[in-house]
Amino acid sequence: MWILLRLIGWQYARKHLLRTVLTSAGVVLGVAVLVGMHTANETVLLAFSKTIDRIAGKTELQISAGDAGFDEEILEKVQSARSVRIAVPAIEAIVESNLSGQGSLMILGIDMTGDRGLRDYDLEQGDEAEIDDPLIFLAQPDSLILAKSFAQRNRLEVGSRLTLGTAEGPKTFVVRGLMKSESGLASAFSGNMAVMDIYAAQKMFGRGRTFDRIDLAMQPGTTLVECQRELRGLLGPAFEIQPPSGRGQQFETMLAGYSLMMDMASGFALFIGMFIIYNAFAIAVSQRRTEIGILRALGATQRQIRNLFLCEGAVLGLVGSVAGVASGMLAARSIAAWIGRLLSSVYGVAQRADELATDPKTLLLALGLGLATSVIAAILPARDAARLDPVHALQKGSAQAYSTSENRLRVWAAAALATLAAGSLIFSSSRLVFYLGYASAIGAALLAGPLCSRLLSSALRPLLQWLRPVEGALAADSLIQAPRRTSGSVAALMLSVALVVAFSGMGQASYQSIDDWMNTTLDPDLFVMPSPNLDVQTTRFPSTMGPELAALPGVSRVQTLRNTRVTFRDTPIMVVAIETGSLEKTAHLPPVQGDERQMYRLAAEGKGVLVSDTLALLQGLRLGEQLEIAAPHGTLSLPIVGIVIDYSDQQGAVILDRSVFLKYWHDDTVNAYRVYTTGDRAAIRQRILDQYAGQRQVFVLTNEELKQYISRIAGQWFSLTSVQIAVAVLVAILGIVNTLTVSITDRRKELGVLRAVGALHAQIKHTIWIEAMSIAAIGLTLGIGLGSVNLFYVLEMVKRDIAGMRLNYQLPVGTILTLVPVMLGAGLLAALWPARAAVRGSLVEALEYE
């Protein structure tokens, strides 16, 4: 077998090197998407985990209560625990460095009197004296310790001054220490790391007298379980007590929906690649009929012929998989940076990924899938090659007999799968049944593709003949007589277009839904925030600003907004605290379930909460159900009095009255003020800025600016559509080039006769061009049909597993209209080389082909 592979398979590949490369591109594409996406995900998670580990130092357990923080009195309880050796408070925050090209700076606020038992700052020699006495450091609230790498990049040294934005406006800090770059803490967040006194951090970020978390080390001989049990008994269920690595698991939960979308895109890419390879091997069988006939005549068995093509498929799959892995790894860093920006925008989690996470399991899985895809694609052509009769194979001109009409079994199988897909919708509440129905629908479309392709070819023939009487009729007849020859390309095109239509439709429906929510909910004229970015929640306002803003001329109403993430059923969700009585008079959140007037009244009285439809769908919550959330000062237990459309957070949100939040969290700080005006918005905006100039860091966004910001974030989630359109165009070119190549091989005599009777080169080229654009048109038509079905399933996935969004079904007409000229243009482009090859062949050899 290896001799046949070396002497025959390798020689064919060398002779048709370009086509071999184009064929392997199908595997390269699928494997690259899979490796690139998964490696990028793992890279971001690894970078986040490393930052956690480096900041944690010798910390064995961390205590937190979501993003809201907790009172200082909790620290005393933890320090009194018998199993705790060291317990120190910490505050983490992300601020803009205000240095060109440096981006954000992570601030770690710590208690210098006890923190050195957990973290080694590894200060530069000569600098340690500056902070050797913690009391000196504490006495200077403008003290800052920087990572040496960050300082060197910005020409900072001990004694240098650095201005940072704080809750009280821009403040100047003095660098009083430099951490060695190789130390663990200094290398966190790619060196963009600073340390300051925790009480200065409380003031800087408007935290009042709260901490973000407590880091602790246990007494020798104490187990993790024993320490956790004692602390839970002291603190109650509201506090998360876990090793530092547990924060990485929560971060991974945030990525779950995104990962599902990427897996679906990767699977489609590999599936599409399989049909490209199938078509390429069909070409090989057609072109090598004489070679196969000679081998059979010399005694080669059917098994040897079949294994020869399967081995070629395996080699092609292996080469393509290796190239795909390499391409995916090259693209992973850029994808990781994109994911990092996305997560920073959506969740406020800023993270730099400097080191690629190369998971051997992912790479082996990608290699295996690429190899399996190629071998599976080669099975049918290999079987057909093995079944070729040696006498017929050696007869020139009988190649057309290879392309027969699809058999009746395929049609019945397609009908059975379509029935199964339709029937599964009745029991679609089961996830297994739902996804089984989805797979059945795709399978039915693929099996019915050749029949539909032939019917469309027949329907196109009158139009093509009317446009170009000779060339159009010849092109249509070529498609009608050889449905198998074009089935691979049509299937690949159909899948690509279906994926584009589904993703584009999902994006369009999401935009529309988010836009409706913004127009309903984000109705204030101005938004007063401590940061220009919505994702930055580390700096907060005092509650005393509310009356001050309300007293300004032209301000008619001020609403206080406080939001924080908490853990609910092991998932981070958003708690939104606002005066619900005031909210009823301004933003009428459309209820999915519940009475609009009654739900606002009950929420304002502290007798119930509203939950977003997203949370209800993802967590299976119902109207009237008792919702329990563990808070720092007791367990909040209130009935759900309304389910509303709200997209404050991808994992879902709970909306409660501010009085309830104050009761259970004891935190009166504010994330933003919603301001309604009665006069000139620009003038009122300037009054607010003037009011707090030099006193507080205040940013005022207009309604339009905030909506544009949210739309930009939403656009990042759905930017995958443009990538899929590019993939669809590439698939169109690869598939049509291969199809036309085998078409020319099968029609050599026909083309030779045309040239002999006086057909011009231009006429033959036009025939090939028309055939190519017809293939593109058929694939586009079938793709739109499958895409309309695919869109339904994708919207259901978004509702069930990805985002909990109840989106309206609407075909992306704009995208479809864009695809028409793009795909037809791709077909024409793909036909240029085959058309040129059709008129360059020897006329004598073509006429001899009989």
Side-chain angles (χ1 to χ4, degrees):
M1 178 52 60
W2 294 111
I3 296 176
L4 288 176
L5 190 63
R6 178 169 59 85
L7 296 178
I8 299 175
W10 170 242
Q11 295 303 320
Y12 179 82
R14 286 181 58 190
K15 184 178 179 181
H16 304 280
L17 184 59
L18 178 61
R19 192 183 312 151
T20 302
V21 171
L22 291 175
T23 301
S24 65
V27 175
V28 173
L29 181 67
V31 172
V33 171
L34 177 66
V35 171
M37 296 298 184
H38 278 269
T39 301
N41 272 6
E42 293 299 323
T43 296
V44 174
L45 290 173
L46 175 65
F48 185 71
S49 298
K50 283 188 173 182
T51 292
I52 292 173
D53 292 340
R54 289 165 179 169
I55 293 175
K58 299 174 185 176
T59 299
E60 295 174 288
L61 284 173
Q62 292 182 330
I63 301 172
S64 62
D67 290 348
F70 44 81
D71 297 335
E72 293 178 351
E73 63 186 37
I74 300 299
L75 177 62
E76 297 176 5
K77 289 185 179 181
V78 175
Q79 289 175 333
S80 68
R82 288 176 300 175
S83 58
V84 173
R85 180 172 59 88
I86 300 174
V88 293
I91 286 177
E92 271 184 28
I94 303 293
V95 299
E96 287 300 315
S97 64
N98 296 321
L99 296 170
S100 178
Q102 293 304 307
S104 53
L105 186 69
M106 176 176 280
I107 302 289
L108 176 64
I110 49 88
D111 182 0
M112 287 295 296
T113 59
D115 195 77
R116 285 191 173 185
L118 292 179
R119 277 173 276 267
D120 182 9
Y121 297 98
D122 200 10
L123 298 169
E124 285 286 309
Q125 292 296 323
D127 298 335
E128 190 167 359
E130 297 282 342
I131 59 169
D132 190 50
D133 186 348
L135 295 177
I136 296 176
F137 191 81
L138 290 172
Q140 303 172 95
D142 61 351
S143 297
L144 206 62
I145 304 174
L146 291 178
K148 185 179 179 181
S149 58
F150 179 84
Q152 288 178 332
R153 288 198 303 269
N154 297 282
R155 299 179 181 178
L156 299 172
E157 55 187 19
V158 173
S160 296
R161 297 178 180 274
L162 181 64
T163 301
L164 300 173
T166 76
E168 299 179 349
K171 296 292 182 182
T172 300
F173 294 85
V174 179
V175 179
R176 291 199 164 90
L178 297 177
M179 295 178 287
K180 291 181 180 178
S181 302
E182 59 270 18
S183 69
L185 185 59
S187 60
F189 203 57
S190 304
N192 282 30
M193 187 77 199
V195 176
M196 69 186 307
D197 176 63
I198 191 164
Y199 299 102
Q202 285 179 330
K203 187 178 181 183
M204 174 181 178
F205 300 114
R207 301 298 182 85
R209 306 302 294 177
T210 64
F211 301 133
D212 283 354
R213 68 170 192 270
I214 296 172
D215 295 348
L216 63 87
M218 300 181 296
Q219 292 285 3
T222 304
T223 66
L224 203 68
V225 174
E226 290 172 346
C227 188
Q228 287 176 314
R229 185 186 301 119
E230 181 184 7
L231 291 172
R232 287 196 179 102
L234 284 173
L235 304 178
F239 293 85
E240 298 172 21
I241 307 167
Q242 59 186 354
S245 59
R247 295 174 65 195
Q249 294 173 356
Q250 291 184 1
F251 186 62
E252 192 169 359
T253 302
M254 295 177 182
L255 280 171
Y258 165 79
S259 298
L260 182 60
M261 289 179 63
M262 295 303 99
D263 288 341
M264 188 172 72
S266 302
F268 259 85
L270 279 171
F271 210 41
I272 291 165
M274 183 172 70
F275 285 95
I276 294 176
I277 295 169
Y278 164 78
N279 226 40
F281 274 95
I283 291 171
V285 172
S286 179
Q287 289 189 324
R288 297 162 65 184
R289 290 169 61 86
T290 302
E291 180 182 289
I292 295 169
I294 293 173
L295 287 173
R296 292 297 312 281
L298 292 176
T301 64
Q302 288 188 357
R303 181 178 179 181
Q304 287 176 318
I305 298 297
R306 183 181 65 250
N307 289 344
L308 171 63
F309 280 90
L310 290 177
C311 286
E312 289 182 13
V315 171
L316 188 69
L318 182 61
V319 172
S321 297
V322 171
V325 167
S327 301
M329 295 296 290
L330 288 174
R333 192 175 296 279
S334 298
I335 299 172
W338 177 75
I339 295 174
R341 291 191 298 270
L342 174 65
L343 292 171
S344 177
S345 300
V346 177
Y347 294 109
V349 179
Q351 183 56 59
R352 297 180 178 211
D354 296 323
E355 178 185 348
L356 281 181
T358 52
D359 183 5
K361 292 181 181 178
T362 299
L363 301 184
L364 289 174
L365 175 64
L367 286 172
L369 287 174
L371 185 62
T373 297
S374 186
V375 172
I376 291 171
I379 288 176
L380 287 178
R383 184 201 65 180
D384 292 339
R387 291 180 177 180
L388 276 177
D389 184 89
V391 176
H392 292 161
L394 290 170
Q395 290 178 354
K396 295 181 179 180
S398 62
Q400 188 62 43
Y402 167 64
S403 295
T404 58
S405 62
E406 66 281 358
N407 54 54
R408 187 171 300 175
L409 179 62
R410 175 178 298 198
V411 177
W412 280 107
L417 286 176
T419 303
L420 179 62
S424 67
L425 296 178
I426 302 174
F427 307 98
S428 62
S429 56
S430 166
R431 178 177 293 186
L432 177 62
V433 172
F434 171 76
Y435 282 100
L436 178 62
Y438 182 36
S440 299
I442 299 295
L446 292 173
L447 288 172
L451 174 62
C452 294
S453 178
R454 189 176 185 184
L455 292 175
L456 287 173
S457 299
S458 300
L460 274 175
R461 192 182 191 283
L463 175 63
L464 297 179
Q465 190 173 14
W466 177 74
L467 291 173
R468 306 286 297 190
V470 177
E471 298 95 322
L474 289 172
D477 288 341
S478 175
L479 295 175
I480 294 170
Q481 294 167 10
R484 284 194 178 185
R485 187 174 64 211
T486 58
S487 62
S489 293
V490 169
L493 281 170
M494 177 177 67
L495 287 172
S496 296
V497 172
L499 191 61
V500 173
V501 170
F503 276 15
S504 180
M506 177 190 67
Q508 181 174 306
S510 300
Y511 276 125
Q512 185 61 53
S513 187
I514 291 172
D515 189 60
D516 291 343
W517 168 71
M518 288 193 298
N519 291 333
T520 302
T521 307
L522 303 182
D523 60 333
D525 300 299
L526 299 172
F527 295 84
V528 181
M529 302 186 300
S531 168
N533 299 323
L534 289 181
D535 54 277
V536 176
Q537 304 289 333
T538 53
T539 303
R540 299 197 285 268
F541 289 136
S543 58
T544 54
M545 278 183 61
E548 295 171 358
L549 290 169
L552 291 175
V555 175
S556 60
R557 184 187 296 270
V558 175
Q559 292 174 344
T560 303
L561 178 68
R562 178 73 169 94
N563 52 25
T564 185
R565 276 198 182 84
V566 301
T567 300
F568 175 72
R569 296 181 181 176
D570 298 324
T571 301
I573 66 168
M574 185 73 76
V575 168
V576 180
I578 195 169
E579 299 92 344
T580 48
S582 176
L583 187 68
E584 180 186 12
K585 297 179 175 63
T586 55
H588 299 279
L589 295 172
V592 177
Q593 294 181 42
D595 179 80
E596 184 172 350
R597 182 171 299 178
Q598 185 182 29
M599 70 183 188
Y600 281 115
R601 179 180 59 80
L602 291 173
E605 293 173 358
K607 297 179 180 179
V609 297
L610 311 178
V611 301
S612 68
D613 189 41
T614 299
L615 182 63
L617 287 170
L618 292 177
Q619 298 293 340
L621 301 176
R622 299 182 303 276
L623 186 69
E625 181 177 342
Q626 200 76 7
L627 186 73
E628 293 190 354
I629 297 177
H633 296 276
T635 299
L636 183 153
S637 181
L638 290 172
I640 298 173
V641 296
I643 298 176
V644 298
I645 299 295
D646 182 82
Y647 300 130
S648 298
D649 189 79
Q650 186 194 6
Q651 299 294 332
V654 175
I655 303 169
L656 46 81
D657 193 73
R658 180 168 172 78
S659 61
V660 176
F661 185 84
L662 293 173
K663 177 181 177 181
Y664 287 96
W665 274 267
H666 291 190
D667 181 1
D668 66 349
T669 58
V670 179
N671 290 111
Y673 287 102
R674 297 158 51 102
V675 178
Y676 295 83
T677 65
T678 57
D680 182 4
R681 283 194 307 175
I684 297 171
R685 178 182 189 174
Q686 191 59 48
R687 285 191 200 115
I688 295 173
L689 294 173
D690 292 341
Q691 171 84 9
Y692 297 103
Q695 302 177 36
R696 297 196 180 282
Q697 179 172 269
V698 170
F699 296 88
V700 183
L701 273 64
T702 65
N703 186 282
E704 293 76 14
E705 288 171 340
L706 189 71
K707 289 178 179 178
Q708 289 171 6
Y709 183 93
I710 295 174
S711 296
R712 186 167 64 252
I713 293 174
Q716 293 180 34
W717 276 106
F718 306 112
S719 59
L720 192 64
T721 301
S722 58
V723 177
Q724 289 301 329
I725 291 177
V727 170
V729 172
L730 178 60
V731 167
I733 293 174
L734 293 176
I736 294 173
V737 165
N738 282 345
T739 297
L740 293 181
T741 301
V742 73
S743 175
I744 292 168
T745 301
D746 283 345
R747 297 159 61 197
R748 288 183 67 186
K749 180 178 179 181
E750 175 188 321
L751 297 174
V753 170
L754 288 174
R755 291 169 60 192
V757 297
L760 302 176
H761 283 190
Q763 290 178 309
I764 295 177
K765 287 182 178 180
H766 291 163
T767 300
I768 305 300
W769 293 350
I770 292 172
E771 185 175 344
M773 287 191 288
S774 297
I775 293 172
I778 292 169
L780 180 64
T781 303
L782 296 179
I784 293 170
L786 178 59
S788 63
V789 176
N790 196 27
L791 176 57
F792 166 79
Y793 283 100
V794 168
L795 293 180
E796 283 294 308
M797 283 186 237
V798 169
K799 184 175 76 172
R800 293 162 178 259
D801 300 316
I802 297 176
M805 296 176 69
R806 205 184 299 266
L807 302 177
N808 295 324
Y809 182 96
Q810 51 182 331
L811 276 175
V813 178
T815 299
I816 291 172
L817 293 177
T818 301
L819 281 173
V820 172
V822 168
M823 298 304 288
L824 291 178
L828 181 59
L829 178 64
L832 296 179
W833 178 80
R836 187 179 178 189
V839 299
R840 283 191 309 173
S842 169
L843 181 59
V844 175
E845 290 182 5
L847 292 174
E848 186 189 28
Y849 199 76
E850 58 185 14

